[in-house]
Amino acid sequence: MRVPIFKLVLAAVATTDIAGAAYEYAGQWGRSGFGHGEFRGVVGIAAAADGTVYVADVGNNRVQYFTATGSYLGTWGTAGYGPGEFREPTSLAVGPNGLVYVADTANHRVQYFSADGSYLGGWGAYGKGPGEFHRPHGIAISPGGKVYVADYWNNRIQRFDLEGRYAGQWGETGGGNGQFRFPTDVAFGPNTYVYVADSGNCRIQYFTAYGTYVGRWGTWGFENGQFANAAAVAASRDGRIFVADDQNHRIQCFTATGSFLEKWGSLGKYNGEFNLPRGVEAVNFGTRLYVADFYNDRIQYFDRREIGVVPCSLGRLRALYR
């Protein structure tokens, strides 16, 4: 069953002329379990240039990878402390070199692998110093090859090169500009800004590539542009910013500077519904969005449907989509 397009576009329109796009449910894969293509809590999701989709299967302490529409390709990782083993992998990213970088959260480190899961290296240990972590969550890689890590309990963002050499950091505990309360994700936008899901402050902040504060949006709440835990953030090449608003069980979409565009989702297990969405990934200039639907143990994906200029009211839209 497909979600009616009307339900997904309704939040994106007003009573004035509209132009733009809306996201329509296109498919899903996964269920609860230990087998191939099954999950026990999904958080991180990342897509490679060839369309391969990598998923951080946090409860099973592994990474699984799939085709763009969810056909199973492979798995790596088991529970443990050694190279290539994981304790709560929560986020991952694919670098310009095609390697897969994984935030190995409870081991307080980052590990990186070949595209098919061969262990290549890693860095990090428990602590507060440069290059150390306290439960790293989000991870993103710039086109220039810098690795950005959301260091959750240390309330900071750290930056490294592709081999893990420390390159800088910013942030401290608090609610002011450039301060964080439990940052859970980071995304690198096409405008060279770094977007941070500042979950405890229920907001998105964005910075230059070197950590200079630029702007922010969001407060706690249920309305457009508000969040009940901004769990994850993704940026498309055309400048859309997507936020997994997990305790509101929805996805919100914004311009690069935080103007609200649209939202979709509600609590449930049917197509287009969510139970704590905690990961997002935008591909193909935002024409497809993948969502890690945590408690439903699945990946859902949505394709963008272009909308022409439509001078109509909501009442007319209801008539068109009856």
Side-chain angles (χ1 to χ4, degrees), residues 4-193:
I5 295 173
F6 168 67
K7 290 184 179 179
L8 297 182
V9 303
L10 190 58
V13 302
T15 57
T16 58
D17 293 0
I18 61 171
Y23 284 81
E24 178 185 11
Y25 171 84
Q28 64 175 281
W29 71 87
R31 61 182 181 180
S32 181
F34 306 91
H36 295 165
E38 297 177 334
F39 305 110
R40 290 200 306 144
V42 285
V43 181
I45 184 167
D50 66 357
T52 302
V53 178
Y54 295 88
V55 180
D57 184 7
V58 59
N60 284 320
N61 291 298
R62 64 185 181 183
V63 172
Q64 297 193 67
Y65 57 108
F66 305 85
T67 67
T69 54
S71 295
Y72 174 82
L73 294 175
T75 301
W76 75 83
T78 58
Y81 304 88
E85 297 177 333
F86 301 111
R87 292 171 62 228
E88 300 177 27
T90 56
S91 183
L92 36 71
V94 180
N97 52 9
L99 305 185
V100 182
Y101 292 74
V102 183
D104 186 9
T105 299
N107 279 327
H108 312 288
R109 65 184 179 184
V110 172
Q111 299 190 73
Y112 60 101
F113 304 83
S114 67
D116 60 359
S118 297
Y119 174 81
L120 298 175
W123 71 89
Y126 174 78
K128 299 179 180 179
E132 296 177 332
F133 302 109
H134 191 172
R135 296 189 64 83
H137 271 241
I139 188 168
I141 303 176
S142 72
K146 286 294 186 288
V147 182
Y148 293 78
V149 182
D151 191 3
Y152 183 81
W153 274 101
N154 284 326
N155 289 301
R156 64 185 178 183
I157 304 300
Q158 295 198 69
R159 183 165 49 94
F160 305 86
D161 70 13
L162 291 172
E163 287 75 44
R165 288 182 284 267
Y166 174 81
Q169 66 177 280
W170 73 89
E172 61 183 3
T173 303
N177 296 344
Q179 298 178 328
F180 303 110
R181 289 194 176 96
F182 312 121
T184 49
D185 201 15
V186 59
F188 205 90
N191 51 12
T192 74
Y193 290 152

Side-chain angles (χ1 to χ4, degrees), residues 251-275:
I251 303 299
Q252 295 196 66
C253 178
F254 303 86
T255 68
T257 54
S259 296
F260 175 81
L261 293 175
E262 63 173 304
K263 64 184 177 185
W264 70 91
S266 59
L267 177 61
K269 60 181 180 180
Y270 297 108
N271 298 345
E273 297 177 334
F274 305 109
N275 192 342

Side-chain angles (χ1 to χ4, degrees), residues 195-198 202-206 215-218 227 230 233 243:
Y195 292 83
V196 179
D198 185 8
C202 295
R203 66 186 181 183
I204 301 297
Q205 296 192 73
Y206 58 108
R216 70 183 191 187
W217 72 89
F227 306 109
V233 60
V243 181

